[in-house]
Amino acid sequence: MKKKISIIGAGIAGLTLGNFLQNSSNYEFTIYEKGESLNLEEGFGIQLAVNSVSILNKIGFSELKKSNIFNPRTLDFYSNQQKICNLDLTQFNTEIEKYSTLKRSSLIKFLKDKLFSNVFRFNKIIKTFEHKKDKIKINFTDGDTDETDYLVVSDGVFSPTKAIIENKTTKINFKGAFAARTMISKSNFKALNKENISLIMCPNAHLVSYLVNEDEYNFVSIIRNKANTSDNENRELLDLILKQNNLNILFDKDLSFWPIYNSYKPTISKYKNIFYLGDAFYTFLPTMAQGASQSIESAYELFKIFEKNNNDKQDIYFKNRFQRMKAINKRSNFNFFVFHLSNLFFVKMRNFILKKLIYNKKFIYNFLGRVFRK
């Protein structure tokens, strides 16, 4: 008899796991989503290194329309508007696995369209759950119930499901910074280099822009701000940073702001048949651009563990994820510090060292290759 898996959250992690489970003869699964449908309008960009592209290619990602994706060749580093150097992203690529940028909604649509519509249950929010021996009974706020062998939680950084299961509030660390994001049409944006990712380092901030398809750029800025200020105040702070660095950017769409958080530690459940994926497991800082990639990686790792039918599934999964988390988290925190230097002496030293290290193959392999080419 097939074992049953219930997935909470239809984001990148949950949908990726569902795509692999759909081709398995050992399990049946259901994806529960709190919304009325999947939001395919949200257009913010994501970056996928080859560590995640190679996984997605197993379910047909290489067939995605070329107009919905972009393959940047370099990451260009700027200190204010002065170019320091560029990182060759193609050194991590293979013929069919290439560093990719696209809209998050394009990836969600791709993953959704690969799944049968009957695996989804919308408007579902967990109210309570019961753990009896090897079975889990889920009670939803609308009165529905479900009984499952395994529960996979992938409902985000603040995961309300995790709080119910573990009976405690998840501790999240506010990093004293905010993100500003928007999409900019190609006609309204004079990018520093239209074919590459541009990363501009400023005192207490950094800005990133890149194409996500044939017509649009993703713009994101991470701004140091320890106060929990309003969107209007954050917009004023961003405008000041742009003015101080002589960056004239015309925003043709509204900016969205939100605080930057990361996890204190990864989550392992007290129940052996409950697993956490993506941000519900650990929330990374965005400074390695690995959020989406790690959601994809963790989903595929868990699928392979399910397929091997190990008795100690949770221990194997957590051990693998914990080691991977430590490596990426160390690099993300380092970037978060280095990108935002404000002292002129340290800025000049950073820029000098960066120009030397960017062409050091041993350093690039150790710092980036081990992340991008898993």
Side-chain angles (χ1 to χ4, degrees):
M1 181 181 294
K2 288 186 176 182
K3 294 283 188 178
K4 186 173 182 180
I5 299 175
S6 294
I7 302 171
I8 308 299
I12 292 173
L15 293 175
T16 300
L17 178 60
N19 270 271
F20 283 102
L21 289 173
Q22 186 165 263
N23 297 318
S24 172
S25 59
N26 299 318
Y27 299 94
E28 61 181 40
F29 70 98
T30 304
I31 300 177
Y32 293 99
E33 169 58 36
K34 67 179 180 181
E36 296 180 0
S37 61
L38 295 186
N39 183 4
L40 301 179
E41 300 301 320
E42 186 270 292
F44 295 138
I46 56 173
Q47 300 181 46
L48 299 177
V50 295
N51 59 310
S52 53
V53 172
S54 62
I55 293 170
L56 292 175
N57 280 350
K58 299 178 189 296
I59 52 175
F61 184 71
S62 58
E63 301 164 10
L64 195 68
K65 289 176 62 176
K66 299 305 179 185
S67 59
N68 291 332
I69 195 169
F70 188 72
N71 301 121
R73 297 187 61 83
T74 69
L75 168 60
D76 296 341
F77 289 92
Y78 295 83
S79 184
N80 300 327
Q81 281 199 344
Q82 181 180 356
K83 185 174 179 180
I84 304 168
C85 56
N86 60 271
L87 170 68
D88 179 13
L89 293 172
T90 65
Q91 65 185 295
F92 307 111
N93 294 349
T94 68
E95 187 174 342
I96 60 172
E97 299 162 353
K98 297 180 180 180
Y99 200 102
S100 302
T101 56
L102 70 163
K103 285 185 177 182
R104 182 181 185 276
S105 55
S106 297
L107 178 57
I108 292 290
K109 185 177 187 305
F110 162 78
L111 294 168
K112 171 185 173 290
D113 289 348
K114 290 284 183 178
L115 293 167
F116 297 124
S117 59
N118 62 358
V119 306
F120 291 99
R121 301 289 186 274
F122 293 103
N123 293 312
K124 295 297 181 184
I125 300 173
I126 289 183
K127 182 179 181 181
T128 60
F129 92 110
E130 303 169 48
H131 197 276
K132 296 181 178 179
K133 294 184 179 180
D134 295 330
K135 294 287 186 179
I136 301 167
K137 184 179 180 182
I138 310 168
N139 303 302
F140 296 95
T141 55
D142 62 1
D144 282 354
T145 62
D146 184 25
E147 189 171 87
T148 188
D149 297 292
Y150 298 100
L151 183 63
V152 178
V153 179
S154 59
D155 57 352
V157 53
F158 293 107
S159 184
T161 306
K162 180 172 24 175
I164 292 170
I165 292 171
E166 308 302 335
N167 196 27
K168 61 182 179 182
T169 303
T170 302
K171 292 184 178 180
I172 298 294
N173 180 37
F174 172 55
K175 292 296 291 184
F178 283 76
R181 298 190 80 161
T182 191
M183 300 301 299
I184 306 175
S185 62
K186 201 171 183 179
S187 59
N188 283 346
F189 188 45
K190 300 187 186 314
L192 298 170
N193 188 318
K194 293 191 175 185
E195 301 303 312
N196 304 327
I197 301 173
S198 296
L199 192 157
I200 306 168
M201 297 176 288
C202 310
N204 297 311
H206 77 276
L207 300 82
V208 181
S209 67
Y210 53 85
L211 278 168
V212 293
N213 52 42
E214 292 179 338
D215 303 311
E216 294 177 289
Y217 283 92
N218 181 77
F219 170 87
V220 59
S221 177
I222 307 299
I223 306 165
R224 299 272 186 164
N225 182 5
K226 293 182 179 180
N228 191 5
T229 52
S230 67
D231 285 359
N232 287 337
E233 290 172 303
N234 285 324
R235 175 62 191 262
E236 290 175 3
L237 183 57
L238 174 62
D239 288 342
L240 178 61
I241 290 169
L242 295 175
K243 183 179 180 180
Q244 289 174 338
N245 293 281
N246 299 314
L247 296 169
N248 299 313
I249 299 176
L250 175 63
F251 297 114
D252 54 343
K253 294 183 180 180
D254 290 338
L255 282 157
S256 295
F257 295 90
W258 67 89
I260 299 294
Y261 294 94
N262 76 326
S263 301
Y264 280 101
K265 60 182 181 179
T267 301
I268 184 169
S269 179
K270 55 189 174 184
Y271 304 105
K272 291 295 185 181
N273 52 351
I274 296 179
F275 305 85
Y276 295 105
L277 290 185
D279 284 345
F281 176 83
Y282 190 88
T283 302
F284 293 96
L285 293 176
T287 46
M288 276 293 291
Q290 275 284 304
S293 288
Q294 289 310 302
S295 291
I296 293 164
E297 265 193 28
S298 61
Y300 184 57
E301 284 177 4
L302 185 56
F303 167 73
K304 290 191 294 183
I305 291 169
F306 277 134
E307 284 293 275
K308 290 180 180 178
N309 202 28
N310 302 87
N311 292 326
D312 51 352
K313 294 180 178 63
Q314 189 192 73
D315 292 337
I316 296 171
Y317 171 75
F318 184 82
K319 182 179 179 181
N320 291 344
R321 276 287 92 200
F322 183 73
Q323 293 301 319
R324 188 71 165 148
M325 178 277 297
K326 283 201 304 182
I328 294 168
N329 196 48
K330 183 178 180 181
R331 290 160 173 79
S332 298
N333 281 303
F334 178 76
N335 286 352
F336 187 73
F337 168 73
V338 170
F339 289 172
H340 298 168
L341 292 174
S342 56
N343 180 280
L344 185 59
F345 172 77
F346 289 118
V347 167
K348 289 183 177 180
M349 182 179 292
R350 174 199 65 194
N351 296 349
F352 175 79
I353 294 172
L354 184 57
K355 281 191 284 188
K356 297 293 183 182
L357 290 180
I358 209 76
Y359 304 113
N360 185 308
K361 291 185 177 180
K362 185 176 180 180
F363 170 78
I364 292 300
Y365 170 76
N366 286 323
F367 193 81
L368 294 176
R370 289 182 175 179
V371 174
F372 291 170
R373 291 294 307 274
K374 188 187 179 195

